[in-house]
Every structure is written in structure tokens, then in C-alpha cells.
């Protein structure tokens, strides 16, 4: 399910694609609940009653009739959740309003921009896994033995970071030499 | 290859190239892509919000399933629209008061627990041992190889950064040293955040180039090869035929 409305169609497409690859059946092995309004409060709503937060799935089927959700009443019946996020509400919201309250295990994946803010949660064990940006994605691909687009992108990443390090060093060299020249001129 | 996938590839390639034309200058092709993006995003959001909220969360449960208790949140939500009626604007305060009250009540305790108490605990716990009688003893030792050096560095970082933002005492003497250490830790943190931001932006660029390379394949009808000359040609045409800006008076 999604907390951001704009990503809903893309999420549905990706989940269907992965399920097709894995030979899983919609409704029986997995379900995509779609989007529900309210941001972080949707998580609390799901913790109280999943079917009130999502009366129907993304395709409009009543969630109460789906075999995959048999025995699941709320987030208390969930063993592990994975949040893929690019901002707020995202992984943090799932920890604060989900895991910390309803006591399930949580892992996350996020864009590079927000990854530094999530590493403290990983270190303290508040979340037990994190895919941080393209680097995290590449590490994950190596971990599962399926090197693909993320690993392929790491060469370009490394080259960019190297170029930026060189630029930072050059700028510092210019800065200090200009400052020295200005001081020398002022002394004369 | 399904027809809609091929159409999607052509549209994605075209819009990517349209957006990239901004690298030359702001131009009508870029504006077209920009306006399409905003328009489609807003349209999609409105349709999804209508379908999810009005149809699936209000109409179906109330009318088809007879759950009239939903009238309370619906009424509260409608009160917000009272802001647009000058004489009844005060009614919206009830809805906002409810939202702010519930939001604060839910968020403040959970945020303090998750981001302050848990983080303080994690900063100190590796350095101390809880005694059976409930007491605490400081057990970290640099002479012990099993000691957690990272935890000590973290503790120094946290305390020194807190000192940097502690303005009740003048930063002089030992406090100045602590505050300067805090600045160093802050700079390292900002550097790490900057590095990750660069990585994120580059990832987006890599993603676009990966798609352009993939869509250059014959399976998609080579849209990259066809559209690059078209977009460049359109840009040259626009550039040569546009009127020069009138001189400023």
C-alpha cells in the first residue's frame, strides 16, 4: 500500500511485475491495497482495523474476501513490514506510528537524500534493515546474488563522487591561495 | 512487445529529452513537458482522491453498507469548507482544532519515544552495564579490545554537538573546545548528507540515461535515435526564429 498518492500506479505496476516473475497470484499470494488518505494516521488506522483503512484493494475488490488476508485483522497480525520511501511519511512514520506501537519488525529502503537520517534508526536496531540509495540497492543486489541496474550504476556514481572530491579539493586550493595573496597584498 | 509498452517508451523518451532541453535554455518544449507533468500529477491526484475518499471510504460504506457513523468525520471534514463562507468561517475552527489536537496527541509522545528516548538509550547503553539491583555501572574501556570504540565516538559527538547549541554559557575555555569539536562532528554529518544527496541526484540521471539507452533498442522502434534529432532540430528552429527581447528602457 502507499501513503503517497502519486506513486500508487507505479507501485501497482512494479508489484504485478515482480509477482509475475515469482509466479504469484493476485489476491491469493499477495495484495496491493493502493492509497488511502491521511498520511501517517493511515498507519494507526491500519493498526486498529485494516479493513476500515482499506475496505477494498487497488482493483476495487473487497479486502475482507481476499484469501491472502485471512487471519489478518490489523497491523498486530503482521510479522514484518518493509517501507520504501522518498520522504515523509515514509520509513520514519512506519517506525513511529507502526512498529513502535504495534510491535512488528521493520525494514526500509529509501532514496539517498533521506538515508543519512535513517541510519541512526538502523544502528540502534529500531529498524533491522535499510537499503540506502543506489549504494544500498547495489549492496542488496550483491547480497541476493542478482547483480543488475544498481550495480551497473555504481561506476558512474564512483566517477561522479571522485569528480566532486577533486572539485572540492581544487576549490579549497584556490580559496587558500587567494586568501594568501590577499593577505600579502594587504601587508604591502 | 505490447503496443502500449512501445507507446510508453516513445512518450518517456520524448518527455525526458524535452526536460533535458532546459540545459540549453528555458524553452517552449521544456515548458510543454513541465506543464504536462504538473497537469497529469494534479489530475491523477484528484481522480485518485475522489475514487478513494468519496467512493470507497464514504459512498460505499454509507449508502451500500449502511454505516451511517461515517457522518461524523464527513461532517467534521465539511466544516473545513466553511472557511470559504465569510459568515460561517468560525465553524472551520472546530475541524482544525480536532485535527491539531488529535495530530499532536498522536505524534508528540511517539516522536519523543522514538527519536529522543530510544536514541539517548542507544548512545549510552553500549557504554554501561545494568546491575541486578537496578543500578548502572560504566564499563567501557579503551584498553579492552572488546570495548565499543564507535559508541565512545558517538557519545563524544552527541555531547559536543549539544554543547555547540548550548548558549546559556559563553563558549570559552573547555566549553569552546567542546563546541569546536561539535562543529567538526556537524561538518562530518553535513558532508555525509551532501554525499548522499549527490548520489541521489546522480541516481536519477543514471535512471534516465539507462532508459534512453534501453529505448534505443529495435524492440521499441529506436525512439531515442529518432527523437534526439527531432528535439535538437526543434530547439535550433526555436532558437533561430524567436524574436530578440526588446531592449530595456
Amino acid at each position: 500500500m502507499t501513503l503517497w498518492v502519486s506513486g500508487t500506479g507505479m507501485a501497482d505496476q512494479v508489484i504485478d511485475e515482480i509477482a509475475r516473475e515469482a509466479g504469484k497470484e493476485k489476491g491469493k499470494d499477495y495484495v496491493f491495497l493502493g492509497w488511502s488518505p491521511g498520511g501517517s494516521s493511515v498507519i494507526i488506522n491500519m493498526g486498529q482495523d485494516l479493513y476500515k483503512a482499506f475496505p477494498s484493494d487497488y482493483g476495487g475488490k473487497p479486502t475482507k474476501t481476499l484469501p491472502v488476508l485471512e487471519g489478518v485483522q490489523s497491523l498486530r497480525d503482521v510479522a514484518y513490514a518493509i517501507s520504501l520511501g522518498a520522504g515523509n511519511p515514509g520509513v520514519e512514520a512506519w517506525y513511529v506510528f507502526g512498529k513502535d506501537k504495534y510491535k512488528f519488525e521493520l525494514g526500509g529502503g529509501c532514496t539517498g537524500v533521506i538515508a543519512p537520517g535513517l541510519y541512526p534508526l538502523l544502528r540502534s536496531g529500531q529498524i533491522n534493515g535499510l537499503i540506502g540509495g543506489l549504494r544500498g540497492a547495489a549492496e542488496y543486489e550483491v547480497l541476493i546474488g542478482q547483480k543488475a541496474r544498481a550495480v551497473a550504476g555504481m561506476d558512474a556514481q564512483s566517477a561522479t563522487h571522485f569528480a566532486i572530491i577533486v572539485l572540492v579539493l581544487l576549490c579549497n586550493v584556490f580559496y587558500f591561495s587567494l586568501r594568501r595573496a590577499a593577505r600579502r597584498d594587504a601587508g604591502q | 512487445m505490447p503496443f502500449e509498452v512501445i507507446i510508453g517508451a516513445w512518450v518517456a523518451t520524448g518527455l525526458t529529452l524535452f526536460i533535458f532541453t532546459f540545459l540549453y535554455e528555458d524553452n517552449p518544449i521544456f515548458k510543454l513537458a513541465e506543464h504536462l507533468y504538473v497537469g497529469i500529477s494534479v489530475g491523477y491526484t484528484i481522480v485518485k482522491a475522489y475514487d478513494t475518499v468519496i467512493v470507497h471510504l464514504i459512498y460505499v460504506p454509507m449508502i451500500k453498507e449502511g454505516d451511517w457513523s461515517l457522518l461524523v468525520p464527513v461532517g467534521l471534514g465539511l466544516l473545513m469548507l466553511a472557511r470559504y463562507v465569510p459568515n460561517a468561517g468560525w465553524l472551520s475552527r472546530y475541524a482544525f482544532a480536532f485535527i491539531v489536537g488529535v495530530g499532536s496527541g498522536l505524534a508528540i509522545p511517539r516522536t519523543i519515544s522514538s527519536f529522543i528516548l530510544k536514541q539517548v538509550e542507544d548512545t549510552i547503553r553500549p557504554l554501561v552495564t545494568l546491575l541486578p539491583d537496578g543500578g548502572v555501572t560504566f564499563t567501557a574501556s579503551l584498553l579492552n579490545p572488546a570495548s565499543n570504540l564507535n559508541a565512545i565516538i558517538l557519545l563524544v559527538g552527541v555531547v559536543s554537538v549539544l554543547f555547540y547549541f548550548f548558549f546559556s554559557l559563553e563558549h570559552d575555555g573547555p566549553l569552546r573546545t567542546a563546541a569546536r569539536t561539535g562543529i567538526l562532528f556537524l561538518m562530518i554529518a553535513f558532508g555525509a548528507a551532501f554525499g548522499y544527496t549527490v548520489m541521489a541526484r546522480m541516481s536519477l540521471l543514471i535512471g534516465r540515461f539507462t532508459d534512453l539507452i534501453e529505448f534505443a533498442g529495435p524492440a521499441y522502434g529506436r525512439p531515442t535515435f529518432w527523437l534526439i534529432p527531432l528535439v535538437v532540430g526543434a530547439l535550433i528552429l526555436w532558437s533561430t526564429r524567436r524574436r530578440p527581447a526588446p531592449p530595456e528602457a
Side-chain angles (χ1 to χ4, degrees):
Chain A
M1 46 80 58
T2 61
L3 295 175
W4 290 18
V5 64
S6 49
T8 314
M10 199 184 285
D12 179 55
Q13 190 185 346
V14 169
I15 288 170
D16 278 351
E17 210 174 294
I18 293 167
R20 212 176 305 124
E21 278 173 22
K24 301 293 179 189
E25 196 183 322
K26 198 172 200 165
K28 190 179 154 203
D29 302 309
Y30 75 100
V31 59
F32 179 56
L33 297 172
W35 170 77
S36 190
S40 306
S41 53
V42 174
I43 301 168
I44 295 170
N45 205 1
M46 287 173 77
Q48 289 165 348
D49 187 349
L50 183 73
Y51 302 101
K52 282 230 160 133
F54 291 96
S56 53
D57 72 353
Y58 186 66
K61 281 186 190 160
T63 38
K64 277 188 177 166
T65 62
L66 296 172
V68 67
L69 290 175
E70 235 169 67
V72 178
Q73 194 58 39
S74 70
L75 285 180
R76 289 183 202 279
D77 304 312
V78 171
Y80 198 98
I82 299 170
S83 166
L84 303 174
N88 197 28
V91 185
E92 278 186 9
W94 271 100
Y95 175 74
V96 175
F97 299 105
K99 184 199 164 171
D100 203 25
K101 194 170 164 63
Y102 301 110
K103 311 296 174 200
F104 51 82
E105 284 304 323
L106 178 67
C110 62
T111 56
V113 178
I114 62 165
L118 294 173
Y119 276 110
L121 298 182
L122 180 68
R123 191 190 171 278
S124 61
Q126 287 168 280
I127 55 175
N128 66 6
L130 180 68
I131 299 172
L134 191 70
R135 184 194 136 193
E139 287 170 351
Y140 182 70
E141 283 182 358
V142 172
L143 183 72
I144 61 171
Q146 290 183 13
K147 292 183 186 176
R149 289 175 82 157
V151 170
M154 286 316 288
D155 286 341
Q157 280 287 359
S158 304
T160 314
H161 281 249
F162 181 72
I164 284 176
I165 290 167
V166 170
L167 284 173
V168 168
L169 289 174
L170 275 178
C171 289
N172 274 285
V173 168
F174 288 137
Y175 169 73
F176 283 114
S177 33
L178 284 173
R179 194 170 74 164
R180 219 165 87 181
R183 276 183 187 167
R184 202 182 312 130
D185 292 346
Q188 283 172 358
Chain B
M1 182 78 62
F3 183 67
E4 66 270 16
V5 175
I6 294 173
I7 292 289
W10 279 77
V11 171
T13 308
L15 290 175
T16 302
L17 295 171
F18 286 6
I19 292 289
F20 280 173
T21 59
F22 188 77
L23 293 171
Y24 169 67
E25 203 179 331
D26 194 7
N27 64 79
I29 304 174
F30 167 77
K31 280 202 175 87
L32 171 73
E34 192 185 29
H35 293 177
L36 266 176
Y37 174 74
V38 174
I40 289 171
S41 300
V42 173
Y44 181 77
T45 304
I46 289 171
V47 169
K48 277 307 296 174
Y50 173 79
D51 182 59
T52 309
V53 181
I54 307 290
V55 177
H56 286 103
L57 290 177
I58 296 175
Y59 176 77
V60 173
M62 262 170 61
I63 308 298
K64 291 196 174 168
E65 294 163 15
D67 184 4
W68 293 99
S69 66
L70 288 171
L71 273 176
V72 177
V74 169
L76 213 54
L78 286 174
L79 282 184
M80 280 195 184
L81 300 176
R83 282 193 82 81
Y84 297 109
V85 184
N87 290 334
W90 58 274
L91 281 170
S92 65
R93 291 181 198 153
Y94 290 105
F96 283 114
F98 180 81
I99 287 173
V100 171
V102 170
S104 307
L106 287 172
I108 293 172
R110 300 241 65 83
T111 306
I112 290 174
S113 156
S114 306
F115 295 130
I116 299 179
L117 299 181
K118 283 267 168 61
Q119 288 296 315
V120 168
E121 181 192 331
D122 181 59
T123 306
I124 297 169
R125 181 159 275 210
L127 305 170
V128 299
T129 305
L130 295 173
L131 299 171
D133 63 353
V136 173
T137 178
F138 189 78
T139 50
S141 164
L142 281 178
L143 299 174
N144 177 9
S147 182
N148 194 343
L149 184 62
N150 278 346
I152 294 169
I153 294 170
L154 265 178
L155 183 69
V156 171
V158 169
V159 172
S160 59
V161 169
L162 285 174
F163 264 119
Y164 175 69
F165 288 105
F166 186 69
F167 301 117
S168 298
L169 288 172
E170 195 178 340
H171 288 181
D172 218 359
L175 277 182
R176 180 180 158 79
T177 312
R180 299 289 293 181
T181 312
I183 291 176
L184 284 177
F185 275 97
L186 280 174
M187 286 167 77
I188 292 168
F190 292 146
F194 175 67
Y196 266 99
T197 304
V198 170
M199 186 170 76
R201 303 300 176 228
M202 275 308 295
S203 304
L204 296 175
L205 187 65
I206 290 167
R208 289 296 79 222
F209 275 126
T210 307
D211 277 356
L212 287 179
I213 292 165
E214 189 183 335
F215 296 151
Y220 297 96
R222 300 188 187 279
T224 308
F225 288 139
W226 287 107
L227 291 176
I228 285 178
L230 273 176
V231 170
V232 172
L235 208 58
I236 292 169
L237 195 69
W238 168 79
S239 185
T240 52
R241 295 191 64 172
R242 71 177 159 169
R243 290 182 194 157
E248 284 180 22

